[in-house]
Amino acid sequence: DAKTTQPPSMDCAEGRAANLPCNHSTISGNEYVYWYRQIHSQGPQYIIHGLKNNETNEMASLIITEDRKSSTLILPHATLRDTAVYYCIVRVARSSGSARQLTFGSGTQLTVLP
Amino acid sequence: GAVVSQHPSRVICKSGTSVKIECRSLDFQATTMFWYRQFPKKSLMLMATSNEGSKATYEQGVEKDKFLINHASLTLSTLTVTSAHPEDSSFYICSAYRGAGVGEQYFGPGTRLTVT
């Protein structure tokens, strides 16, 4: 699986958009970009994933560059409860039906400030 | 969404004793579950992959005789930390693979193990 690079920490004002970048310059054509977050002392929570098109769901938007070498997770209106470590993971979605583990990097500690 | 539970959420045990942690997929069947360990201020590290009805696959450096994994049914996997020592104190997290749908791995809430 391709390696990802994220800034170690970011701050965001409550109510503003939080834009979390991720570099994955060695991504392969069949690898997806997944985003998970981990609130302190809890298990990771799935946020969103995408292949090459931009994606949006009720939690966030995912913007993937045309060359797919980087992406940005956008939380449109950050709240205090969005304070967490955000992990960007690149991985093949499935491999002939077999399960693939997620390899977590260091992630970005997002702190939403009141 | 899919729900994965872990029990217990917190456990304190004495050095030399064994501790069992359960991971259950509550509303789906999981042929594969993963066990992760997380030390303070560190990222999750995969310990082993648990497949229903077969032996678990351990990551390099993880002692299979110390961390016993049993995946006896499609909704339950257990991790037993045998002869626990203080250095085994950690946050243990399981995930279950549903094999369908987006975000196909669902994580449990974690178990905080403290060995005194």
Side-chain angles (χ1 to χ4, degrees), chain A residues 22-100:
Chain A
C22 179
N23 286 323
H24 30 79
S25 58
T26 60
I27 191 171
S28 299
N30 63 345
E31 289 182 311
Y32 285 68
V33 179
Y34 288 79
W35 283 84
Y36 282 77
R37 74 179 182 184
Q38 186 179 24
I39 295 170
H40 183 63
S41 294
Q42 297 183 23
Q45 176 189 23
Y46 165 80
I47 301 173
I48 199 167
H49 80 293
L51 182 62
K52 54 183 178 182
N53 296 322
N54 297 337
E55 301 288 344
T56 295
N57 62 20
E58 64 279 4
M59 288 184 68
S61 294
L62 174 60
I63 309 297
I64 302 174
T65 58
E66 193 169 341
D67 63 8
R68 302 210 321 125
K69 293 186 177 183
S70 65
S71 61
T72 301
L73 178 74
I74 301 173
L75 307 179
H77 305 287
T79 70
L80 299 179
R81 282 180 287 189
D82 292 322
T83 293
V85 178
Y86 287 76
Y87 296 99
C88 168
I89 301 170
V90 173
R91 207 202 69 179
V92 175
R94 291 184 188 85
S95 176
S96 301
S98 61
R100 294 283 302 275

Side-chain angles (χ1 to χ4, degrees), chain A residues 34 36 38 41-44 46 49 87 91 93-94 97-102 104-105, chain B residues 32 34 36 38 43-44 46 91 93 97 99-105 107-109 112:
Chain A
Y34 288 79
Y36 282 77
Q38 186 179 24
S41 294
Q42 297 183 23
Y46 165 80
H49 80 293
Y87 296 99
R91 207 202 69 179
R94 291 184 188 85
S98 61
R100 294 283 302 275
Q101 73 270 20
L102 294 168
F104 287 81
Chain B
T32 302
F34 300 96
Y36 296 82
Q38 186 175 33
S43 189
L44 282 78
L46 180 68
F91 193 49
I93 305 169
Y97 175 71
V102 301
E104 65 269 21
Q105 277 194 46
F107 287 82
R112 175 78 57 192

